[in-house]
Amino acid sequence: MFVFPDAADCIDHALKAAGLNSTLWLAPGDLDGREVVHVQDAGGTEQSVFRTDRLIIDVYAAGRPAAKNLAEAVKVALVGRPHESPGGVIDSVAVEVAASMEPFQSETVCKFTAIYRVETRPI
């Protein structure tokens, strides 16, 4: 049996290191006009010493252009290289579903959602 890193926690750490306001727990007060990146687990697969996690990453910002730019900043910060964090190493991150605008009940805040595939190996 292998122990794998917490992919969501490692990605949260990578986003914070890139200067983005990332969280694993979204509270209503978090959407007070600040740009927010919310990282969520969405399942995955394990094959021997390899694990693939899927993460849903929602971004919230004031207006469509700002939310779309934030979603793009997340992609740039994550894709194309490994990431090290106190919780382990992420070998690679790839876009599984590109960011798109999602319905959100707000007159000022827009939400974009993307799904990423995260490859890890045992700690």
Side-chain angles (χ1 to χ4, degrees), residues 60-100:
Y60 301 86
R64 180 183 169 90
K68 186 172 183 171
N69 289 341
L70 181 56
E72 186 65 24
V74 167
K75 182 177 81 171
V76 168
L78 295 179
V79 175
R81 64 184 178 281
H83 300 277
E84 292 185 28
S85 78
V89 175
I90 298 294
D91 291 320
S92 67
V93 179
V95 175
E96 187 156 291
V97 178
S100 62

Side-chain angles (χ1 to χ4, degrees), residues 17-108:
L20 299 170
N21 182 25
S22 179
T23 185
L24 296 174
W25 305 101
L26 188 65
D30 292 338
L31 301 177
D32 61 359
R34 297 176 294 144
E35 294 183 345
V36 177
V37 179
H38 183 208
V39 181
Q40 305 165 74
D41 294 301
T45 60
E46 284 184 24
Q47 294 180 1
S48 182
V49 297
F50 301 102
R51 182 174 175 154
T52 301
D53 287 288
R54 283 173 180 73
L55 300 178
I56 298 169
I57 300 185
D58 297 325
V59 301
Y60 301 86
R64 180 183 169 90
K68 186 172 183 171
N69 289 341
L70 181 56
E72 186 65 24
V74 167
K75 182 177 81 171
V76 168
L78 295 179
V79 175
R81 64 184 178 281
H83 300 277
E84 292 185 28
S85 78
V89 175
I90 298 294
D91 291 320
S92 67
V93 179
V95 175
E96 187 156 291
V97 178
S100 62
M101 196 163 109
E102 297 284 326
F104 187 68
Q105 295 285 333
S106 174
E107 293 181 15
T108 58

